[in-house]
Amino acid sequence: MTGRRVRMLALYPLWRKARRVYSLTSRLPGTNRLGFQPSLALSEGKGNLSLVNSISNNQSPPTLSHGALLKDMNILLVDDSNVNLMLAKTLLTNEGAEVVAEKSAVDALKKIPEYNFDLILLDLEMPVMSGIEAAVKLRKANSPTEKTPIIAVTAHVLPEKRQEVADAGMNDMLAKPYLPEQLYSIIAKWCDKINYQTTQVSSKPNIAVEIPVYDREIALASVAGNQEAARLILKEFLAMLPDIESSIRRASVENDTTALFQVIHKLAGSASSSGAPSIHTNAMRLKSIMKRENQPEDLIAESISTLLTQIEKFKSHFRA
């Protein structure tokens, strides 16, 4: 086993634990459904984003009431990925929210005059108009959304990205992939229309180490146990994989690193919500390699090959 494989296996338990804790602990009497969520938020009195814990050690964090948490809330959801849109919309509507979902920032801006939104969840990496550009427009003086809470949803949580988000006027930052309760927690932090009560925090369960091709528990945890939503998200993910593969191969042949990074970014986010931990892990590793100042071509080529193999294994798993 290579050192790289050992490192990947070492990291997977942390990722899987984050995905499973919600679905397992929420079934136990007297347990807390938030418990351990740090959030990326604007530090009070500072002009930049930093990692802070939204719940102090001396407080009992809120347990959110299932089914009515977001009742009477209007939320604008913007993401260019069908899988991410389906996931987030399921989690929001499960808790009673009215959701307007758009695949582009351009289309989302057209909805602003039509609705009185309580919250905007905005993906950052989108074609035509990025989430940063959209946020600047949303924050224009006298705009209906000048003071509406805007949460950036992104896999990029580097300090420069946090500063960019803050400069664009957004309130907070939610990192992909996220747990259902991390989403609910960050909404509760910025919106008043929340139904919750206080309980005690429970211990977290043990986890496995092997990275499977498909993990059904992760897929279900992503949608708060909604089996139909998990099935639809998986179907959408499988449908998008052929185009993803073609885009990866084309970008690789043409040596188009920008296009390659964009498609890998999209794949990583969708895989995390679809129960594809092996694809997610390998995609995140490739993204990390591509962010290096001096990109090692041999290592990138090897990582692309490994990722394509994992995609094929995932498809074969459901053909069997």
Side-chain angles (χ1 to χ4, degrees):
M1 183 179 292
T2 65
R4 184 162 59 253
R5 174 67 173 167
V6 169
R7 287 193 296 274
M8 288 168 66
L9 285 172
L11 289 173
Y12 173 66
L14 301 178
W15 183 81
R16 190 168 193 264
K17 184 175 185 177
R19 284 289 179 188
R20 291 190 61 209
V21 161
Y22 160 74
S23 62
L24 294 177
T25 57
S26 62
R27 299 172 194 161
L28 302 176
T31 60
N32 180 279
R33 295 174 61 196
L34 294 180
F36 59 95
Q37 294 105 200
S39 64
L40 293 168
L42 279 168
S43 298
E44 186 176 354
K46 297 182 180 179
N48 63 343
L49 288 167
S50 59
L51 186 63
V52 297
N53 198 321
S54 59
I55 299 168
S56 78
N57 292 332
N58 297 323
Q59 291 177 308
S60 296
T63 293
L64 305 182
S65 58
H66 183 69
L69 168 66
L70 309 177
K71 186 180 178 183
D72 299 326
M73 284 189 64
N74 291 316
I75 297 177
L76 176 60
L77 173 64
V78 193
D79 199 304
D80 65 323
S81 164
N82 283 333
V83 170
N84 290 341
L85 272 183
M86 196 179 301
L87 165 67
K89 187 173 182 179
T90 297
L91 295 178
L92 296 170
T93 55
N94 276 358
E95 292 293 342
E98 294 292 331
V99 178
V100 175
E102 295 293 341
K103 288 190 65 178
S104 79
V106 175
D107 291 337
L109 289 174
K110 295 176 183 177
K111 298 292 183 181
I112 299 303
E114 301 176 25
Y115 297 87
N116 182 22
F117 290 113
D118 299 294
L119 178 79
I120 299 171
L121 293 167
L122 189 59
D123 182 32
L124 295 186
E125 306 293 328
M126 293 183 288
V128 184
M129 182 188 292
S130 71
I132 296 293
E133 293 171 306
V136 171
K137 292 180 181 294
L138 290 165
R139 286 298 190 231
K140 283 185 177 179
N142 300 318
S143 165
T145 55
E146 184 181 2
K147 297 183 179 180
T148 303
I150 303 176
I151 309 299
V153 185
T154 179
H156 302 296
V157 290
L158 297 175
E160 55 267 31
K161 182 59 69 174
R162 298 175 195 166
Q163 186 61 52
E164 194 177 0
V165 163
D167 291 343
M170 288 185 261
N171 300 79
D172 216 328
M173 200 168 176
L174 178 64
K176 299 177 186 177
Y178 52 79
L179 286 167
E181 295 304 329
Q182 287 174 306
L183 174 63
Y184 300 148
S185 178
I186 206 167
I187 293 174
K189 182 178 177 182
W190 292 103
C191 299
D192 296 330
K193 299 178 182 179
I194 299 295
N195 301 313
Y196 64 89
Q197 59 185 6
T198 300
T199 60
Q200 296 298 315
V201 180
S202 70
S203 60
K204 302 176 182 65
N206 293 326
I207 50 169
V209 222
E210 188 58 36
I211 305 180
V213 172
Y214 175 66
D215 192 316
R216 187 170 181 271
E217 287 188 14
I218 288 174
L220 286 172
S222 295
V223 289
N226 187 320
Q227 296 189 36
E228 179 62 14
R231 184 188 68 80
L232 292 173
I233 288 173
L234 174 60
K235 182 180 179 181
E236 180 69 31
F237 183 64
L238 286 167
M240 70 181 272
L241 285 180
D243 285 341
I244 291 285
E245 285 182 285
S246 298
S247 297
I248 291 174
R249 296 183 192 278
R250 181 168 57 253
S252 180
V253 169
E254 297 174 357
N255 199 28
D256 188 340
T257 54
T258 301
L260 179 61
F261 189 88
Q262 288 176 346
V263 71
I264 298 303
H265 172 78
K266 181 177 182 179
L267 175 63
S270 298
S272 69
S273 308
S274 306
S278 184
I279 291 178
H280 173 79
T281 302
N282 282 280
M284 291 300 292
R285 176 177 175 270
L286 178 52
K287 282 179 61 178
S288 176
I289 293 170
M290 293 185 69
K291 287 178 183 177
R292 297 180 189 177
E293 189 172 344
N294 298 313
Q295 297 180 358
E297 293 183 7
D298 291 348
L299 191 54
I300 289 176
E302 177 191 341
S303 299
I304 290 173
S305 176
T306 301
L307 179 58
L308 289 171
T309 298
Q310 293 304 317
I311 292 174
E312 186 55 42
K313 284 183 178 179
F314 191 86
K315 293 192 301 182
S316 297
H317 178 82
F318 290 97
R319 282 198 297 260

